[in-house]
Amino acid sequence: MFKRIYLAGCFLIFLVVFSLAFITFRPVRNVTTSDVSQKTGMVKNVSAGNGGDIYIQLHNDRHNYYINNALKQGLNPQSLSADILEKEVTLQHINRWTPFSRDGVFPHISKLSCENKVLFNEIINE
């Protein structure tokens, strides 16, 4: 009897860990307007990251937002920094809960605009 309870408990823990891993590492594809939330703020820093990503930090915001594979999409960190540094931008990030982003802010940028000019957009139904 104890062996069955132990195996059932192990199986339940496996299912919980597997589902949390799936939620956390699920790729971002085919972004729609219902998947994003809007954030407005002044840009504090723009930097290049690993794998061609560009990271953007806003004043008074603890999240490190990023544009995934930005170099492959033709964006350059130096020119983007010249365009948006110390300016107010509107970005739309993925709104998804994960164990690492419990506040619902997944810092993947889907749309970036500055001064009513769209600099980056991967939302498919706009």
Side-chain angles (χ1 to χ4, degrees):
M1 182 67 170
F2 177 73
K3 187 176 184 180
R4 287 185 183 176
I5 294 172
Y6 176 76
L7 289 176
C10 289
F11 183 69
L12 182 65
I13 290 172
F14 171 76
L15 287 179
V16 168
V17 169
F18 185 76
S19 64
L20 285 176
F22 179 75
I23 289 170
T24 302
F25 300 113
R26 183 178 57 180
V28 177
R29 291 190 201 127
N30 301 328
V31 180
T32 62
T33 54
S34 63
D35 297 330
V36 296
S37 293
Q38 186 169 312
K39 178 77 174 177
T40 303
M42 296 288 286
V43 176
K44 182 167 90 173
N45 187 22
V46 177
S47 60
N50 295 337
D53 298 344
I54 295 178
Y55 289 90
I56 299 174
Q57 292 178 325
L58 301 178
H59 287 287
N60 301 324
D61 194 344
R62 64 182 179 86
H63 298 98
N64 265 337
Y65 298 99
Y66 69 94
I67 300 174
N68 193 30
N69 294 326
L71 295 178
K72 292 179 185 175
Q73 298 176 24
L75 292 174
N76 185 348
Q78 290 81 17
S79 64
L80 189 63
S81 177
D83 289 342
I84 67 173
L85 194 61
E86 296 300 327
K87 294 182 183 175
E88 186 168 322
V89 297
T90 302
L91 57 88
Q92 294 186 4
H93 61 82
I94 302 295
N95 189 20
R96 182 186 343 172
W97 181 91
T98 69
F100 299 117
S101 62
R102 293 182 302 270
D103 59 355
V105 176
F106 192 74
H108 176 97
I109 297 175
S110 295
K111 184 177 181 179
L112 176 67
S113 58
C114 181
E115 299 172 345
N116 295 325
K117 180 182 174 188
V118 176
L119 302 171
F120 172 74
N121 189 3
E122 69 178 6
I123 300 175
I124 59 173
N125 64 350
E126 266 195 334

PDB file of all heavy atoms in Angstrom, residues 89-124:
ATOM      1  N   VAL A  89       9.106  55.771 -24.926  1.00  0.00           N
ATOM      2  CA  VAL A  89       8.724  54.741 -25.879  1.00  0.00           C
ATOM      3  C   VAL A  89       7.478  54.025 -25.379  1.00  0.00           C
ATOM      4  O   VAL A  89       7.177  54.027 -24.192  1.00  0.00           O
ATOM      5  CB  VAL A  89       9.853  53.706 -26.117  1.00  0.00           C
ATOM      6  CG1 VAL A  89      11.064  54.340 -26.729  1.00  0.00           C
ATOM      7  CG2 VAL A  89      10.202  52.970 -24.857  1.00  0.00           C
ATOM      8  N   THR A  90       6.787  53.414 -26.312  1.00  0.00           N
ATOM      9  CA  THR A  90       5.671  52.537 -25.985  1.00  0.00           C
ATOM     10  C   THR A  90       6.044  51.159 -26.498  1.00  0.00           C
ATOM     11  O   THR A  90       6.309  50.987 -27.679  1.00  0.00           O
ATOM     12  CB  THR A  90       4.374  53.019 -26.654  1.00  0.00           C
ATOM     13  OG1 THR A  90       4.113  54.347 -26.223  1.00  0.00           O
ATOM     14  CG2 THR A  90       3.207  52.127 -26.290  1.00  0.00           C
ATOM     15  N   LEU A  91       6.087  50.206 -25.577  1.00  0.00           N
ATOM     16  CA  LEU A  91       6.387  48.840 -25.985  1.00  0.00           C
ATOM     17  C   LEU A  91       5.239  47.930 -25.560  1.00  0.00           C
ATOM     18  O   LEU A  91       4.538  48.214 -24.595  1.00  0.00           O
ATOM     19  CB  LEU A  91       7.732  48.363 -25.425  1.00  0.00           C
ATOM     20  CG  LEU A  91       7.974  48.388 -23.919  1.00  0.00           C
ATOM     21  CD1 LEU A  91       7.513  47.094 -23.272  1.00  0.00           C
ATOM     22  CD2 LEU A  91       9.445  48.579 -23.679  1.00  0.00           C
ATOM     23  N   GLN A  92       5.068  46.890 -26.313  1.00  0.00           N
ATOM     24  CA  GLN A  92       4.059  45.892 -25.983  1.00  0.00           C
ATOM     25  C   GLN A  92       4.796  44.583 -25.724  1.00  0.00           C
ATOM     26  O   GLN A  92       5.501  44.085 -26.587  1.00  0.00           O
ATOM     27  CB  GLN A  92       3.037  45.765 -27.107  1.00  0.00           C
ATOM     28  CG  GLN A  92       2.227  47.024 -27.256  1.00  0.00           C
ATOM     29  CD  GLN A  92       1.106  46.887 -28.248  1.00  0.00           C
ATOM     30  OE1 GLN A  92       0.857  45.820 -28.799  1.00  0.00           O
ATOM     31  NE2 GLN A  92       0.422  47.982 -28.492  1.00  0.00           N
ATOM     32  N   HIS A  93       4.629  44.078 -24.516  1.00  0.00           N
ATOM     33  CA  HIS A  93       5.318  42.863 -24.097  1.00  0.00           C
ATOM     34  C   HIS A  93       4.306  41.734 -23.943  1.00  0.00           C
ATOM     35  O   HIS A  93       3.111  41.966 -23.804  1.00  0.00           O
ATOM     36  CB  HIS A  93       6.075  43.084 -22.788  1.00  0.00           C
ATOM     37  CG  HIS A  93       5.176  43.458 -21.643  1.00  0.00           C
ATOM     38  ND1 HIS A  93       4.479  42.531 -20.915  1.00  0.00           N
ATOM     39  CD2 HIS A  93       4.845  44.663 -21.136  1.00  0.00           C
ATOM     40  CE1 HIS A  93       3.769  43.143 -19.998  1.00  0.00           C
ATOM     41  NE2 HIS A  93       3.966  44.445 -20.107  1.00  0.00           N
ATOM     42  N   ILE A  94       4.809  40.520 -23.961  1.00  0.00           N
ATOM     43  CA  ILE A  94       3.973  39.343 -23.792  1.00  0.00           C
ATOM     44  C   ILE A  94       3.425  39.323 -22.369  1.00  0.00           C
ATOM     45  O   ILE A  94       4.154  39.539 -21.412  1.00  0.00           O
ATOM     46  CB  ILE A  94       4.779  38.052 -24.065  1.00  0.00           C
ATOM     47  CG1 ILE A  94       5.366  38.067 -25.477  1.00  0.00           C
ATOM     48  CG2 ILE A  94       3.928  36.813 -23.846  1.00  0.00           C
ATOM     49  CD1 ILE A  94       4.356  38.040 -26.582  1.00  0.00           C
ATOM     50  N   ASN A  95       2.156  39.065 -22.251  1.00  0.00           N
ATOM     51  CA  ASN A  95       1.498  38.987 -20.952  1.00  0.00           C
ATOM     52  C   ASN A  95       1.266  37.506 -20.647  1.00  0.00           C
ATOM     53  O   ASN A  95       0.279  36.923 -21.073  1.00  0.00           O
ATOM     54  CB  ASN A  95       0.175  39.753 -20.988  1.00  0.00           C
ATOM     55  CG  ASN A  95      -0.433  39.890 -19.627  1.00  0.00           C
ATOM     56  OD1 ASN A  95       0.238  39.754 -18.617  1.00  0.00           O
ATOM     57  ND2 ASN A  95      -1.720  40.174 -19.601  1.00  0.00           N
ATOM     58  N   ARG A  96       2.213  36.913 -19.903  1.00  0.00           N
ATOM     59  CA  ARG A  96       2.137  35.487 -19.601  1.00  0.00           C
ATOM     60  C   ARG A  96       2.730  35.221 -18.225  1.00  0.00           C
ATOM     61  O   ARG A  96       3.781  35.746 -17.890  1.00  0.00           O
ATOM     62  CB  ARG A  96       2.912  34.691 -20.652  1.00  0.00           C
ATOM     63  CG  ARG A  96       2.823  33.211 -20.409  1.00  0.00           C
ATOM     64  CD  ARG A  96       3.654  32.320 -21.289  1.00  0.00           C
ATOM     65  NE  ARG A  96       4.177  32.864 -22.507  1.00  0.00           N
ATOM     66  CZ  ARG A  96       5.037  32.211 -23.263  1.00  0.00           C
ATOM     67  NH1 ARG A  96       5.449  31.017 -22.930  1.00  0.00           N
ATOM     68  NH2 ARG A  96       5.499  32.744 -24.358  1.00  0.00           N
ATOM     69  N   TRP A  97       2.053  34.392 -17.443  1.00  0.00           N
ATOM     70  CA  TRP A  97       2.578  34.003 -16.146  1.00  0.00           C
ATOM     71  C   TRP A  97       3.531  32.842 -16.316  1.00  0.00           C
ATOM     72  O   TRP A  97       3.262  31.883 -17.042  1.00  0.00           O
ATOM     73  CB  TRP A  97       1.439  33.581 -15.219  1.00  0.00           C
ATOM     74  CG  TRP A  97       1.920  33.193 -13.859  1.00  0.00           C
ATOM     75  CD1 TRP A  97       2.044  34.012 -12.791  1.00  0.00           C
ATOM     76  CD2 TRP A  97       2.358  31.899 -13.426  1.00  0.00           C
ATOM     77  NE1 TRP A  97       2.535  33.324 -11.710  1.00  0.00           N
ATOM     78  CE2 TRP A  97       2.741  32.012 -12.077  1.00  0.00           C
ATOM     79  CE3 TRP A  97       2.485  30.669 -14.039  1.00  0.00           C
ATOM     80  CZ2 TRP A  97       3.223  30.949 -11.337  1.00  0.00           C
ATOM     81  CZ3 TRP A  97       2.973  29.606 -13.302  1.00  0.00           C
ATOM     82  CH2 TRP A  97       3.329  29.750 -11.964  1.00  0.00           C
ATOM     83  N   THR A  98       4.693  32.936 -15.660  1.00  0.00           N
ATOM     84  CA  THR A  98       5.626  31.817 -15.552  1.00  0.00           C
ATOM     85  C   THR A  98       6.152  31.816 -14.119  1.00  0.00           C
ATOM     86  O   THR A  98       6.011  32.810 -13.412  1.00  0.00           O
ATOM     87  CB  THR A  98       6.821  31.942 -16.521  1.00  0.00           C
ATOM     88  OG1 THR A  98       7.649  33.026 -16.108  1.00  0.00           O
ATOM     89  CG2 THR A  98       6.378  32.126 -17.958  1.00  0.00           C
ATOM     90  N   PRO A  99       6.780  30.741 -13.680  1.00  0.00           N
ATOM     91  CA  PRO A  99       7.351  30.759 -12.332  1.00  0.00           C
ATOM     92  C   PRO A  99       8.422  31.834 -12.143  1.00  0.00           C
ATOM     93  O   PRO A  99       8.665  32.278 -11.036  1.00  0.00           O
ATOM     94  CB  PRO A  99       7.960  29.368 -12.182  1.00  0.00           C
ATOM     95  CG  PRO A  99       7.190  28.515 -13.114  1.00  0.00           C
ATOM     96  CD  PRO A  99       6.838  29.401 -14.271  1.00  0.00           C
ATOM     97  N   PHE A 100       9.054  32.279 -13.224  1.00  0.00           N
ATOM     98  CA  PHE A 100      10.079  33.311 -13.134  1.00  0.00           C
ATOM     99  C   PHE A 100       9.517  34.710 -13.277  1.00  0.00           C
ATOM    100  O   PHE A 100      10.174  35.685 -12.933  1.00  0.00           O
ATOM    101  CB  PHE A 100      11.169  33.081 -14.182  1.00  0.00           C
ATOM    102  CG  PHE A 100      11.870  31.774 -14.023  1.00  0.00           C
ATOM    103  CD1 PHE A 100      11.795  30.814 -15.023  1.00  0.00           C
ATOM    104  CD2 PHE A 100      12.582  31.482 -12.876  1.00  0.00           C
ATOM    105  CE1 PHE A 100      12.435  29.600 -14.881  1.00  0.00           C
ATOM    106  CE2 PHE A 100      13.225  30.265 -12.725  1.00  0.00           C
ATOM    107  CZ  PHE A 100      13.144  29.317 -13.725  1.00  0.00           C
ATOM    108  N   SER A 101       8.333  34.853 -13.834  1.00  0.00           N
ATOM    109  CA  SER A 101       7.692  36.167 -13.990  1.00  0.00           C
ATOM    110  C   SER A 101       6.282  36.092 -13.421  1.00  0.00           C
ATOM    111  O   SER A 101       5.295  36.120 -14.147  1.00  0.00           O
ATOM    112  CB  SER A 101       7.674  36.582 -15.458  1.00  0.00           C
ATOM    113  OG  SER A 101       6.912  35.665 -16.205  1.00  0.00           O
ATOM    114  N   ARG A 102       6.197  36.031 -12.125  1.00  0.00           N
ATOM    115  CA  ARG A 102       4.915  35.828 -11.461  1.00  0.00           C
ATOM    116  C   ARG A 102       3.993  37.037 -11.550  1.00  0.00           C
ATOM    117  O   ARG A 102       2.815  36.927 -11.280  1.00  0.00           O
ATOM    118  CB  ARG A 102       5.141  35.436 -10.009  1.00  0.00           C
ATOM    119  CG  ARG A 102       5.786  34.068  -9.871  1.00  0.00           C
ATOM    120  CD  ARG A 102       5.961  33.670  -8.440  1.00  0.00           C
ATOM    121  NE  ARG A 102       6.747  34.594  -7.666  1.00  0.00           N
ATOM    122  CZ  ARG A 102       8.065  34.537  -7.522  1.00  0.00           C
ATOM    123  NH1 ARG A 102       8.725  33.586  -8.117  1.00  0.00           N
ATOM    124  NH2 ARG A 102       8.699  35.424  -6.798  1.00  0.00           N
ATOM    125  N   ASP A 103       4.520  38.203 -11.927  1.00  0.00           N
ATOM    126  CA  ASP A 103       3.667  39.377 -12.066  1.00  0.00           C
ATOM    127  C   ASP A 103       2.979  39.451 -13.430  1.00  0.00           C
ATOM    128  O   ASP A 103       2.253  40.384 -13.707  1.00  0.00           O
ATOM    129  CB  ASP A 103       4.443  40.658 -11.799  1.00  0.00           C
ATOM    130  CG  ASP A 103       5.623  40.849 -12.735  1.00  0.00           C
ATOM    131  OD1 ASP A 103       5.917  39.945 -13.539  1.00  0.00           O
ATOM    132  OD2 ASP A 103       6.266  41.912 -12.646  1.00  0.00           O
ATOM    133  N   GLY A 104       3.208  38.473 -14.291  1.00  0.00           N
ATOM    134  CA  GLY A 104       2.558  38.412 -15.597  1.00  0.00           C
ATOM    135  C   GLY A 104       3.296  39.162 -16.684  1.00  0.00           C
ATOM    136  O   GLY A 104       2.847  39.194 -17.824  1.00  0.00           O
ATOM    137  N   VAL A 105       4.426  39.769 -16.368  1.00  0.00           N
ATOM    138  CA  VAL A 105       5.203  40.506 -17.360  1.00  0.00           C
ATOM    139  C   VAL A 105       6.307  39.597 -17.881  1.00  0.00           C
ATOM    140  O   VAL A 105       7.300  39.361 -17.214  1.00  0.00           O
ATOM    141  CB  VAL A 105       5.806  41.796 -16.763  1.00  0.00           C
ATOM    142  CG1 VAL A 105       6.684  42.493 -17.787  1.00  0.00           C
ATOM    143  CG2 VAL A 105       4.709  42.712 -16.280  1.00  0.00           C
ATOM    144  N   PHE A 106       6.092  39.067 -19.067  1.00  0.00           N
ATOM    145  CA  PHE A 106       7.129  38.303 -19.754  1.00  0.00           C
ATOM    146  C   PHE A 106       7.844  39.312 -20.638  1.00  0.00           C
ATOM    147  O   PHE A 106       7.246  39.880 -21.541  1.00  0.00           O
ATOM    148  CB  PHE A 106       6.490  37.174 -20.569  1.00  0.00           C
ATOM    149  CG  PHE A 106       7.460  36.165 -21.085  1.00  0.00           C
ATOM    150  CD1 PHE A 106       8.036  35.247 -20.232  1.00  0.00           C
ATOM    151  CD2 PHE A 106       7.793  36.129 -22.424  1.00  0.00           C
ATOM    152  CE1 PHE A 106       8.932  34.300 -20.703  1.00  0.00           C
ATOM    153  CE2 PHE A 106       8.685  35.191 -22.909  1.00  0.00           C
ATOM    154  CZ  PHE A 106       9.251  34.278 -22.047  1.00  0.00           C
ATOM    155  N   PRO A 107       9.131  39.619 -20.416  1.00  0.00           N
ATOM    156  CA  PRO A 107       9.764  40.805 -21.003  1.00  0.00           C
ATOM    157  C   PRO A 107      10.122  40.725 -22.483  1.00  0.00           C
ATOM    158  O   PRO A 107      10.926  41.494 -22.964  1.00  0.00           O
ATOM    159  CB  PRO A 107      11.020  40.970 -20.142  1.00  0.00           C
ATOM    160  CG  PRO A 107      11.326  39.610 -19.663  1.00  0.00           C
ATOM    161  CD  PRO A 107      10.002  38.924 -19.492  1.00  0.00           C
ATOM    162  N   HIS A 108       9.506  39.847 -23.219  1.00  0.00           N
ATOM    163  CA  HIS A 108       9.714  39.745 -24.660  1.00  0.00           C
ATOM    164  C   HIS A 108       8.932  40.871 -25.343  1.00  0.00           C
ATOM    165  O   HIS A 108       7.719  40.948 -25.221  1.00  0.00           O
ATOM    166  CB  HIS A 108       9.228  38.377 -25.145  1.00  0.00           C
ATOM    167  CG  HIS A 108       9.298  38.189 -26.618  1.00  0.00           C
ATOM    168  ND1 HIS A 108      10.351  37.557 -27.218  1.00  0.00           N
ATOM    169  CD2 HIS A 108       8.447  38.543 -27.606  1.00  0.00           C
ATOM    170  CE1 HIS A 108      10.132  37.521 -28.523  1.00  0.00           C
ATOM    171  NE2 HIS A 108       8.990  38.116 -28.781  1.00  0.00           N
ATOM    172  N   ILE A 109       9.619  41.746 -26.064  1.00  0.00           N
ATOM    173  CA  ILE A 109       8.961  42.863 -26.746  1.00  0.00           C
ATOM    174  C   ILE A 109       8.392  42.378 -28.072  1.00  0.00           C
ATOM    175  O   ILE A 109       9.102  41.805 -28.892  1.00  0.00           O
ATOM    176  CB  ILE A 109       9.944  44.022 -26.987  1.00  0.00           C
ATOM    177  CG1 ILE A 109      10.433  44.577 -25.662  1.00  0.00           C
ATOM    178  CG2 ILE A 109       9.283  45.119 -27.817  1.00  0.00           C
ATOM    179  CD1 ILE A 109      11.503  45.641 -25.798  1.00  0.00           C
ATOM    180  N   SER A 110       7.095  42.649 -28.286  1.00  0.00           N
ATOM    181  CA  SER A 110       6.452  42.302 -29.542  1.00  0.00           C
ATOM    182  C   SER A 110       6.267  43.509 -30.453  1.00  0.00           C
ATOM    183  O   SER A 110       6.153  43.360 -31.655  1.00  0.00           O
ATOM    184  CB  SER A 110       5.094  41.660 -29.283  1.00  0.00           C
ATOM    185  OG  SER A 110       5.268  40.437 -28.629  1.00  0.00           O
ATOM    186  N   LYS A 111       6.194  44.688 -29.847  1.00  0.00           N
ATOM    187  CA  LYS A 111       6.060  45.906 -30.636  1.00  0.00           C
ATOM    188  C   LYS A 111       6.737  47.035 -29.891  1.00  0.00           C
ATOM    189  O   LYS A 111       6.572  47.184 -28.690  1.00  0.00           O
ATOM    190  CB  LYS A 111       4.586  46.239 -30.874  1.00  0.00           C
ATOM    191  CG  LYS A 111       4.358  47.428 -31.771  1.00  0.00           C
ATOM    192  CD  LYS A 111       2.878  47.644 -32.019  1.00  0.00           C
ATOM    193  CE  LYS A 111       2.640  48.824 -32.947  1.00  0.00           C
ATOM    194  NZ  LYS A 111       1.207  49.008 -33.184  1.00  0.00           N
ATOM    195  N   LEU A 112       7.502  47.844 -30.627  1.00  0.00           N
ATOM    196  CA  LEU A 112       8.219  48.970 -30.054  1.00  0.00           C
ATOM    197  C   LEU A 112       7.977  50.187 -30.923  1.00  0.00           C
ATOM    198  O   LEU A 112       8.179  50.135 -32.138  1.00  0.00           O
ATOM    199  CB  LEU A 112       9.720  48.673 -29.981  1.00  0.00           C
ATOM    200  CG  LEU A 112      10.634  49.781 -29.479  1.00  0.00           C
ATOM    201  CD1 LEU A 112      10.361  50.070 -28.002  1.00  0.00           C
ATOM    202  CD2 LEU A 112      12.086  49.410 -29.679  1.00  0.00           C
ATOM    203  N   SER A 113       7.507  51.264 -30.296  1.00  0.00           N
ATOM    204  CA  SER A 113       7.287  52.501 -31.039  1.00  0.00           C
ATOM    205  C   SER A 113       7.779  53.685 -30.234  1.00  0.00           C
ATOM    206  O   SER A 113       7.762  53.671 -29.002  1.00  0.00           O
ATOM    207  CB  SER A 113       5.814  52.667 -31.404  1.00  0.00           C
ATOM    208  OG  SER A 113       5.015  52.654 -30.248  1.00  0.00           O
ATOM    209  N   CYS A 114       8.232  54.701 -30.954  1.00  0.00           N
ATOM    210  CA  CYS A 114       8.751  55.920 -30.347  1.00  0.00           C
ATOM    211  C   CYS A 114       8.304  57.093 -31.200  1.00  0.00           C
ATOM    212  O   CYS A 114       8.501  57.083 -32.427  1.00  0.00           O
ATOM    213  CB  CYS A 114      10.270  55.860 -30.256  1.00  0.00           C
ATOM    214  SG  CYS A 114      11.033  57.304 -29.506  1.00  0.00           S
ATOM    215  N   GLU A 115       7.698  58.090 -30.565  1.00  0.00           N
ATOM    216  CA  GLU A 115       7.225  59.296 -31.255  1.00  0.00           C
ATOM    217  C   GLU A 115       6.308  58.937 -32.423  1.00  0.00           C
ATOM    218  O   GLU A 115       6.479  59.418 -33.539  1.00  0.00           O
ATOM    219  CB  GLU A 115       8.405  60.143 -31.712  1.00  0.00           C
ATOM    220  CG  GLU A 115       9.283  60.621 -30.569  1.00  0.00           C
ATOM    221  CD  GLU A 115      10.552  61.301 -31.033  1.00  0.00           C
ATOM    222  OE1 GLU A 115      10.924  61.165 -32.219  1.00  0.00           O
ATOM    223  OE2 GLU A 115      11.185  61.955 -30.196  1.00  0.00           O
ATOM    224  N   ASN A 116       5.346  58.066 -32.178  1.00  0.00           N
ATOM    225  CA  ASN A 116       4.350  57.623 -33.161  1.00  0.00           C
ATOM    226  C   ASN A 116       4.967  56.954 -34.390  1.00  0.00           C
ATOM    227  O   ASN A 116       4.362  56.912 -35.457  1.00  0.00           O
ATOM    228  CB  ASN A 116       3.454  58.784 -33.600  1.00  0.00           C
ATOM    229  CG  ASN A 116       2.626  59.296 -32.456  1.00  0.00           C
ATOM    230  OD1 ASN A 116       2.198  58.528 -31.582  1.00  0.00           O
ATOM    231  ND2 ASN A 116       2.392  60.597 -32.421  1.00  0.00           N
ATOM    232  N   LYS A 117       6.173  56.435 -34.258  1.00  0.00           N
ATOM    233  CA  LYS A 117       6.844  55.699 -35.326  1.00  0.00           C
ATOM    234  C   LYS A 117       7.112  54.291 -34.830  1.00  0.00           C
ATOM    235  O   LYS A 117       7.739  54.100 -33.792  1.00  0.00           O
ATOM    236  CB  LYS A 117       8.152  56.393 -35.698  1.00  0.00           C
ATOM    237  CG  LYS A 117       8.913  55.700 -36.799  1.00  0.00           C
ATOM    238  CD  LYS A 117      10.218  56.420 -37.063  1.00  0.00           C
ATOM    239  CE  LYS A 117      11.056  55.635 -38.061  1.00  0.00           C
ATOM    240  NZ  LYS A 117      12.399  56.193 -38.205  1.00  0.00           N
ATOM    241  N   VAL A 118       6.646  53.290 -35.555  1.00  0.00           N
ATOM    242  CA  VAL A 118       6.838  51.894 -35.169  1.00  0.00           C
ATOM    243  C   VAL A 118       8.236  51.460 -35.603  1.00  0.00           C
ATOM    244  O   VAL A 118       8.576  51.494 -36.783  1.00  0.00           O
ATOM    245  CB  VAL A 118       5.761  50.982 -35.807  1.00  0.00           C
ATOM    246  CG1 VAL A 118       6.025  49.537 -35.484  1.00  0.00           C
ATOM    247  CG2 VAL A 118       4.377  51.394 -35.340  1.00  0.00           C
ATOM    248  N   LEU A 119       9.048  51.061 -34.620  1.00  0.00           N
ATOM    249  CA  LEU A 119      10.414  50.627 -34.896  1.00  0.00           C
ATOM    250  C   LEU A 119      10.528  49.116 -35.049  1.00  0.00           C
ATOM    251  O   LEU A 119      11.410  48.623 -35.732  1.00  0.00           O
ATOM    252  CB  LEU A 119      11.337  51.096 -33.766  1.00  0.00           C
ATOM    253  CG  LEU A 119      11.371  52.605 -33.523  1.00  0.00           C
ATOM    254  CD1 LEU A 119      12.142  52.925 -32.260  1.00  0.00           C
ATOM    255  CD2 LEU A 119      11.961  53.319 -34.712  1.00  0.00           C
ATOM    256  N   PHE A 120       9.640  48.383 -34.386  1.00  0.00           N
ATOM    257  CA  PHE A 120       9.661  46.925 -34.435  1.00  0.00           C
ATOM    258  C   PHE A 120       8.244  46.431 -34.186  1.00  0.00           C
ATOM    259  O   PHE A 120       7.546  46.942 -33.318  1.00  0.00           O
ATOM    260  CB  PHE A 120      10.609  46.360 -33.375  1.00  0.00           C
ATOM    261  CG  PHE A 120      10.551  44.874 -33.231  1.00  0.00           C
ATOM    262  CD1 PHE A 120      11.108  44.047 -34.179  1.00  0.00           C
ATOM    263  CD2 PHE A 120       9.920  44.292 -32.138  1.00  0.00           C
ATOM    264  CE1 PHE A 120      11.049  42.681 -34.056  1.00  0.00           C
ATOM    265  CE2 PHE A 120       9.872  42.928 -32.005  1.00  0.00           C
ATOM    266  CZ  PHE A 120      10.425  42.114 -32.965  1.00  0.00           C
ATOM    267  N   ASN A 121       7.815  45.440 -34.966  1.00  0.00           N
ATOM    268  CA  ASN A 121       6.484  44.879 -34.787  1.00  0.00           C
ATOM    269  C   ASN A 121       6.482  43.428 -35.260  1.00  0.00           C
ATOM    270  O   ASN A 121       6.843  43.141 -36.386  1.00  0.00           O
ATOM    271  CB  ASN A 121       5.448  45.676 -35.575  1.00  0.00           C
ATOM    272  CG  ASN A 121       4.030  45.272 -35.259  1.00  0.00           C
ATOM    273  OD1 ASN A 121       3.779  44.423 -34.412  1.00  0.00           O
ATOM    274  ND2 ASN A 121       3.086  45.882 -35.927  1.00  0.00           N
ATOM    275  N   GLU A 122       6.074  42.508 -34.373  1.00  0.00           N
ATOM    276  CA  GLU A 122       5.922  41.107 -34.749  1.00  0.00           C
ATOM    277  C   GLU A 122       4.486  40.610 -34.484  1.00  0.00           C
ATOM    278  O   GLU A 122       4.239  39.422 -34.550  1.00  0.00           O
ATOM    279  CB  GLU A 122       6.940  40.231 -34.026  1.00  0.00           C
ATOM    280  CG  GLU A 122       6.716  40.106 -32.537  1.00  0.00           C
ATOM    281  CD  GLU A 122       7.711  39.184 -31.853  1.00  0.00           C
ATOM    282  OE1 GLU A 122       8.662  38.716 -32.506  1.00  0.00           O
ATOM    283  OE2 GLU A 122       7.514  38.918 -30.656  1.00  0.00           O
ATOM    284  N   ILE A 123       3.577  41.525 -34.203  1.00  0.00           N
ATOM    285  CA  ILE A 123       2.183  41.149 -33.952  1.00  0.00           C
ATOM    286  C   ILE A 123       1.530  40.879 -35.308  1.00  0.00           C
ATOM    287  O   ILE A 123       1.581  41.722 -36.205  1.00  0.00           O
ATOM    288  CB  ILE A 123       1.455  42.255 -33.167  1.00  0.00           C
ATOM    289  CG1 ILE A 123       2.150  42.479 -31.828  1.00  0.00           C
ATOM    290  CG2 ILE A 123      -0.002  41.899 -32.975  1.00  0.00           C
ATOM    291  CD1 ILE A 123       1.607  43.622 -31.014  1.00  0.00           C
ATOM    292  N   ILE A 124       0.891  39.711 -35.437  1.00  0.00           N
ATOM    293  CA  ILE A 124       0.451  39.262 -36.754  1.00  0.00           C
ATOM    294  C   ILE A 124      -0.886  39.838 -37.213  1.00  0.00           C
ATOM    295  O   ILE A 124      -1.127  39.939 -38.402  1.00  0.00           O
ATOM    296  CB  ILE A 124       0.397  37.719 -36.836  1.00  0.00           C
ATOM    297  CG1 ILE A 124      -0.559  37.144 -35.800  1.00  0.00           C
ATOM    298  CG2 ILE A 124       1.758  37.132 -36.717  1.00  0.00           C
ATOM    299  CD1 ILE A 124      -0.789  35.674 -35.931  1.00  0.00           C
TER     300      ILE A 124
END
